[in-house]
Amino acid sequence: LIIPDITNPFFPELARAVEDTAKSLGYTLILGNSYSEGEKELQYIEILKNRYVDGIIFASHQLRPGEVNKLVRMNIPIVTLDRAVDSGLENVPSISVNNYLGAVTGVEHLISIGCKNIAHISGPYHLRTSLERLRGYTDRLKNTLMFHASYVVQGDFSVDRGLQATRQLMDENPEIDGIFAANDLMAIGALKALIRLGKKVPDDVALLGFDGIQMTQFMEPEISTVAQPIYEMGALAVRQLVSLIDKREIGKQVEELQGQLIQRASTLRRR
Ligand code: RIB
């Protein structure tokens, strides 16, 4: 399993599911962390190729289709996880959450509790997962009077960027009363910024994340999130990979699982 950022709790939760399922099917997990560096991912491929691994699950985001297709041509079974299938990877199964619908659900929830000026702190634009969440946010708001391009700020999935982006948003648009962060770590950073600004969550600004990592429950107030079916995604990726290894037919090439809104104190209906 190649993950892009072991310091983000989303990926260790994914790795646990992969390891549990691999073990139950008689396989051992080798874990590589690429820190989102394409070069490192290519090095891992060389190492794994020479160690005759049975298959590779990429939960990374950097490889270009040409590089992955080189592997496919070497008959190394591959599955991509947490990303939609990029063009040119048609014969590589992929498992992810339905990022678009998850974002629409999240924005719907903020509207339902009375938010009128909803901002979005997106993931990095080079990732399909970020663009799909941004598209869901934009599509849900574009036919209403609530959409303002200045309410969207590009983030990088880190706590610090969530904090900085929230400071910038509130400084430039003090009327914002809802923030949808494209992942939970940025939502945690946003909470810190809002508290420092003296804002009450959710009474002044409601806050929603995405991923469903446990850490959102340790915050005060606890942060609502659109939870990805992390364990299910990891387990399904292993099952798909083992089917490829055993040269059995697999189900759908592209599996997009349903996200689930988990409402907590940060979006409780405001008085
Ligand atoms: O938090 C890390 C993010 O990177 C997750 O949302 C995951 O889906 C990936 O896009």
Side-chain angles (χ1 to χ4, degrees):
L1 170 64
I2 308 288
I3 58 175
D5 179 5
I6 201 159
T7 65
N8 179 329
F10 174 84
F11 295 105
E13 286 192 32
L14 207 55
R16 190 185 58 172
V18 168
E19 181 168 41
D20 288 354
T21 312
K23 199 153 162 251
S24 72
L25 295 174
Y27 288 86
T28 305
L29 174 68
I30 300 170
L31 179 64
N33 176 55
S34 67
Y35 279 120
S36 297
E37 291 161 22
E39 229 4 79
K40 272 194 85 173
E41 286 171 9
L42 286 172
Q43 284 163 8
Y44 269 118
I45 288 172
E46 279 314 304
I47 294 165
L48 295 172
K49 195 174 62 182
N50 301 336
R51 273 160 179 60
Y52 301 105
V53 291
D54 293 289
I56 303 177
I57 298 175
F58 283 105
S60 59
H61 302 293
Q62 305 306 318
L63 287 183
R64 285 178 293 283
E67 287 151 350
V68 179
N69 281 328
K70 209 165 48 183
L71 276 171
V72 175
R73 282 195 298 277
M74 280 175 227
N75 288 324
I76 298 181
I78 291 176
V79 167
T80 61
L81 173 55
D82 175 47
R83 58 185 283 179
V85 177
D86 297 353
S87 60
L89 290 185
E90 58 289 339
N91 52 356
V92 172
S94 92
I95 290 98
S96 70
V97 73
N98 186 317
N99 291 286
Y100 176 82
L101 287 181
V104 171
T105 304
V107 174
E108 289 275 357
H109 174 57
L110 290 172
I111 293 171
S112 76
I113 64 168
C115 294
K116 296 278 180 278
N117 298 292
I118 301 169
H120 179 52
I121 307 173
S122 79
Y125 289 153
H126 70 275
L127 297 184
R128 177 80 67 86
T129 51
S130 311
L131 296 179
E132 281 298 282
R133 290 171 205 169
L134 174 61
R135 191 168 69 88
Y137 162 88
T138 308
D139 279 4
R140 181 55 191 83
L141 290 181
K142 70 186 173 191
N143 301 324
T144 72
L145 296 176
M146 292 187 273
F147 183 74
H148 307 273
S150 63
Y151 287 3
V152 177
V153 175
Q154 183 177 189
D156 63 1
F157 285 147
S158 73
V159 174
D160 187 53
R161 185 75 193 100
L163 190 146
Q164 304 303 339
T166 301
R167 246 201 218 128
Q168 176 191 338
L169 281 165
M170 298 314 293
D171 188 37
E172 292 166 3
N173 318 278
E175 74 281 4
I176 284 171
D177 61 4
I179 296 178
F180 166 41
N183 83 325
D184 287 338
L185 288 185
M186 293 197 295
I188 289 167
L191 178 62
K192 192 174 176 93
L194 290 168
I195 291 169
R196 278 184 176 167
L197 290 166
K199 296 288 181 186
K200 288 201 178 22
V201 177
D203 295 359
D204 298 330
V205 182
L207 178 61
L208 178 71
F210 197 105
D211 281 351
I213 61 172
Q214 261 197 334
M215 210 184 279
T216 46
Q217 290 170 277
F218 308 146
M219 297 297 123
E220 184 53 43
E222 293 190 13
I223 300 175
S224 302
T225 184
V226 177
Q228 299 200 47
I230 301 175
Y231 200 93
E232 194 187 340
M233 284 162 61
L236 179 55
V238 174
R239 290 198 297 273
Q240 296 280 63
L241 185 67
V242 171
S243 297
L244 291 180
I245 293 169
D246 296 345
K247 299 197 182 346
R248 277 186 279 113
E249 271 309 298
I250 59 171
K252 280 182 355 189
Q253 286 278 48
V254 178
E255 294 273 7
E256 285 201 323
L257 305 183
Q258 210 61 28
Q260 186 201 353
L261 175 70
I262 300 182
Q263 177 170 10
R264 300 194 181 108
S266 73
T267 60
L268 269 189
R269 185 167 295 282
R270 298 213 297 272
R271 282 174 282 289

